[in-house]
Amino acid sequence: MSSISFEVAFRGDTHRVSLPSDDTVSSLRARLEELTQVPPSAQKLLFRGKKIGASQEGVTLAQAGLRDGIRVQMLGSTTQELDALHSTESEHHKKERILRERALKPQFKARLMILISFFFIMLILSATQYRFHKLEPLSHLPDPSSALARLSKLANDPAIQHIMQQHKFSVGLLTELAPHESPGLLGLNVGVGQAIKLRIRTDAYDGFRPYLEVRRVLCHELAHNVWSEHDNNGAYQPSSNEEGEAFVHVLGGNSTLPSDSIEDRRRRALEAATSRLKKQEEELEQSCGTTRPPNAATGRRH
């Protein structure tokens, strides 16, 4: 069996190859991979203006035209270079993916900002709509600045604001009710929310009535924005746990046990508040100046 010896040039290096003439082109490529680290699929073999193509992998070296002393030029990339290229391509694809995702993020952020802006606009509109639109102390009574401060504290009380937002109560004017002008009244709702008058001063005009008592009367008068007469639909009939907690907060009530669950604490607080408020309802009705319907048994004021 005769052998063929020839030279293979690759990147300035010359490799001497000697193989049996009946070896196939595939065998030559495997040998060249050992010498140059260029995988067979990446090898391009050129000699005398000819190229050994993929269709010749199974033919012998003699059939492919290789002879003793011939010089073959090989082109191709090593396995290390191919791995680096694939890694670079993967990194490139990763960067492209990141760029695509970043391009989409502004759209998402824009939608999110629109939703957030809408939420805050609605929150601001709600806060400005459901409130006391004007606070006015009685200027002819002593120390009107302190009276205005007391009215402002009531108007900005978190529990009062919660109730007004929950029930969409809007009151045009929050003002005083002078003790000497209406000695039997603690509060008055005029025109179903056009104005609410509260007796915030002591009978002797030497100070102000307890804040929590005045706040309780204010809750009662706010209920007259919906119900014009005194019936079972008083201000102290919470329709949810949240409202119940607000009313308990209005009363300053807080009766819980360390082992109670959140639901138990809510239930206990609501029951305690409801019980206390029912007892105080008669007193409030007697001191509330909001008008009843004309056919009410006790007339228009009580």
Side-chain angles (χ1 to χ4, degrees), residues 77-301:
S77 300
T78 64
T79 301
Q80 184 178 4
E81 292 169 342
L82 291 172
D83 290 343
L85 178 62
H86 293 154
S87 176
T88 301
E89 288 180 347
S90 298
E91 188 67 23
H92 176 69
H93 292 155
K94 180 180 179 181
K95 289 181 179 179
E96 286 187 338
R97 176 179 59 79
I98 293 174
L99 290 175
R100 286 195 300 269
E101 291 176 353
R102 286 179 178 176
L104 294 175
K105 280 184 178 180
Q107 300 177 16
F108 171 77
K109 287 183 177 179
R111 296 193 198 99
L112 181 61
M113 290 305 298
I114 290 174
L115 290 175
I116 292 175
S117 299
F118 177 78
F119 171 78
F120 278 107
I121 288 173
M122 294 304 295
L123 192 63
I124 292 171
L125 288 175
S126 176
T128 56
Q129 180 179 2
Y130 304 120
R131 63 186 179 89
F132 298 98
H133 293 271
K134 184 178 180 181
L135 308 178
E136 187 175 282
L138 296 180
S139 59
H140 64 279
L141 296 181
D143 197 6
S145 60
S146 295
L148 178 60
R150 182 59 60 99
L151 293 174
S152 179
K153 183 178 180 180
L154 288 165
N156 293 296
D157 190 290
I160 297 297
Q161 289 184 341
H162 173 83
I163 294 170
M164 296 186 76
Q165 297 298 319
Q166 286 291 104
H167 297 284
K168 297 180 171 55
F169 289 157
S170 179
V171 177
L173 172 67
L174 180 63
T175 186
E176 294 187 68
L177 191 63
H180 72 277
E181 295 175 354
S182 306
L185 300 182
L186 295 178
L188 176 65
N189 186 320
V190 180
V192 192
Q194 293 181 11
I196 288 181
K197 300 181 179 183
L198 298 175
R199 187 173 172 182
I200 62 174
R201 298 176 184 268
T202 60
D203 293 345
Y205 293 95
D206 56 355
F208 295 92
R209 298 179 58 247
Y211 178 78
L212 291 180
E213 291 183 11
V214 178
R215 187 170 61 175
R216 186 173 68 245
V217 174
L218 176 55
C219 282
H220 180 92
E221 297 305 330
L222 282 171
H224 288 300
N225 278 24
V226 179
W227 300 291
S228 61
E229 61 176 307
H230 292 93
D231 54 20
N232 291 330
N233 293 320
Y236 311 113
Q237 299 296 326
S239 58
S240 68
N241 286 333
E242 290 76 11
E243 293 177 29
E245 289 171 359
F247 286 120
V248 170
H249 179 59
V250 167
L251 288 174
N254 184 16
S255 176
T256 61
L257 296 175
S259 60
D260 285 346
S261 67
I262 293 177
E263 293 301 322
D264 288 338
R265 290 197 293 269
R266 286 177 173 174
R267 178 178 54 78
R268 288 177 182 273
L270 180 56
E271 290 175 353
T274 302
S275 176
R276 290 175 59 189
L277 291 165
K278 283 181 178 179
K279 294 178 182 179
Q280 296 169 349
E281 187 66 20
E282 290 184 5
E283 175 189 343
L284 285 175
E285 288 197 17
Q286 294 301 321
S287 57
C288 173
T290 302
T291 58
R292 289 178 178 267
N295 61 353
T298 59
R300 299 184 60 84
R301 297 178 67 83

Side-chain angles (χ1 to χ4, degrees), residues 49-62:
K50 297 179 181 180
K51 176 183 176 182
I52 300 178
S55 60
Q56 296 177 286
E57 295 301 303
V59 303
T60 65
L61 299 179

Side-chain angles (χ1 to χ4, degrees), residues 35-61:
L35 296 172
T36 64
Q37 304 303 311
V38 177
S41 60
Q43 296 173 9
K44 291 182 180 180
L45 302 177
L46 306 172
F47 68 99
R48 292 180 180 177
K50 297 179 181 180
K51 176 183 176 182
I52 300 178
S55 60
Q56 296 177 286
E57 295 301 303
V59 303
T60 65
L61 299 179

